[in-house]
Amino acid sequence: MQRSNTTLPGSGAGQRGERLMWLTHQRVFYAGLLGAAAERTMGGYGVYVSPAGAPPNRLRIGGGAWQTGALFVVPPQVPHRVESTHPLIFNLLIESESVDPSRLPGYLQHCGPVDAPAFVQRMRDAHTHLLALSGRQSFEGVEFDRLFFGEDLAPRALDPRIRKVIDAINADPAAPTSAEDCAASVHLSFSRFLHLFKQETGTAFRAFRAWKRARSLLRYVRQTSTLTDIALDTGYPDSTHFSHSIRQVYGLKPSDIVAGSRRLALHDAAGGYRQ
């Protein structure tokens, strides 16, 4: 029986030079520590790949049975738990509102282990390529989708009113934006707005907003601010709400996420490069 992962953030010294995160508004690539993560629920499509030569990872969807594989795909808002005996894991996040789910590559239209060795190798090669670029001010000129998928993923067609709301949330996830305010801003009734938002994005407004706020933590993992300051900067009213929300999304305490990112090279499309 494969043992569960007990690697704590901050360990795995041999992988320090391989850790990086490329963060954009619609995509994230993370090559780093998984840690002893509990169940997590991401707001985007999650893709997990094990590094070359590493044992297969393990995945459990909700309360289901554990499954093993080199590649896992988890759709948005699906509770799951991932374990690995190797300190390093590769993880892609694709924002759900940015892609047409019916036009995703076949291997991304699944939930659980997927047999797609060519994509697994492409993702490992992409990590190697980005490591060679790491240390520059940005990955400017590198096209995210073409690097990882070999093509641009088809965008999702959205009602212009819903797109306006999404763009505003993405621009400032910390803003205390209510559904009532958003409905008024696009001249819709409250009930019609909630229905249309779920219809267009596949996600309830409240869950979408909560995800974007939790996702914004990724921009702060290399800063020297206190956790209280980060909580306030990301829009949480206090540390208790911050910790609870982050643990629901990532399966880890905020302090563990920050500790596990100390040796992480962060390439933020909005904020440049930090190492």
Side-chain angles (χ1 to χ4, degrees):
M1 179 177 177
Q2 187 178 16
R3 65 178 178 87
S4 63
N5 178 22
T6 55
T7 303
L8 296 176
S11 63
Q15 284 71 41
R16 286 175 182 169
E18 300 176 89
R19 301 180 201 165
L20 63 88
M21 180 162 60
W22 186 10
L23 182 63
T24 77
H25 280 304
Q26 297 183 338
R27 308 284 189 267
V28 179
F29 173 64
Y30 173 75
L33 305 176
L34 175 62
E39 186 174 85
R40 53 176 55 185
T41 305
M42 303 292 197
Y45 291 88
V47 181
Y48 300 90
V49 167
S50 56
N57 296 324
R58 298 206 309 159
L59 172 74
R60 184 170 68 183
I61 302 294
W66 285 100
Q67 304 174 79
T68 61
L71 167 63
F72 299 139
V73 176
V74 183
Q77 303 298 334
V78 173
H80 63 284
R81 184 172 179 178
V82 178
E83 292 186 347
S84 172
T85 56
H86 193 276
L88 198 68
I89 193 167
F90 301 152
N91 181 202
L92 279 175
L93 274 172
I94 305 163
E95 294 304 300
S96 61
E97 78 278 6
S98 72
V99 291
D100 183 340
S102 67
R103 298 169 64 191
L104 286 171
Y107 53 83
L108 294 181
Q109 298 189 35
H110 291 273
C111 181
V114 182
D115 183 22
F119 172 72
V120 169
Q121 187 59 50
R122 188 176 191 96
M123 194 155 162
R124 291 169 176 169
D125 291 343
H127 174 242
T128 301
H129 178 70
L130 293 177
L131 283 179
L133 298 179
S134 193
R136 301 181 182 181
Q137 291 302 306
S138 70
F139 290 159
E140 186 176 354
V142 181
E143 297 184 20
F144 197 108
D145 283 3
R146 291 186 179 275
L147 178 64
F148 286 99
F149 307 109
E151 59 181 344
D152 293 328
L153 299 184
R156 191 171 196 146
L158 291 171
D159 183 289
R161 294 165 294 184
I162 300 304
R163 170 59 66 191
K164 178 180 177 181
V165 170
I166 288 173
D167 288 346
I169 293 173
N170 282 332
D172 188 5
T177 307
S178 68
E180 291 86 350
D181 290 340
C182 291
S185 73
V186 292
H187 309 292
L188 290 171
S189 70
F190 177 62
S191 60
R192 173 59 179 155
F193 170 73
L194 292 180
H195 175 78
L196 185 61
F197 192 95
K198 177 68 179 291
Q199 176 183 295
E200 290 290 297
T201 66
T203 304
F205 174 80
R206 187 174 182 179
F208 181 89
R209 186 184 58 183
W211 158 244
K212 292 298 184 178
R213 187 165 290 175
R215 185 192 191 277
S216 70
L217 168 65
L218 301 179
R219 299 190 181 280
Y220 293 83
V221 295
R222 290 302 318 278
Q223 294 192 8
T224 56
S225 306
T226 66
L227 287 176
T228 299
D229 287 339
I230 293 176
L232 295 175
D233 287 343
T234 49
Y236 294 94
D238 54 56
S239 297
T240 300
H241 285 85
F242 176 54
S243 181
H244 176 72
S245 297
I246 294 303
R247 291 187 72 172
Q248 280 191 318
V249 171
Y250 298 106
L252 292 164
K253 296 184 293 185
S255 57
D256 288 341
I257 294 174
V258 172
S261 303
R262 288 172 183 158
R263 303 284 183 175
L264 183 74
L266 174 61
H267 300 261
D268 185 348
Y273 168 75
R274 291 188 293 276
Q275 186 171 26

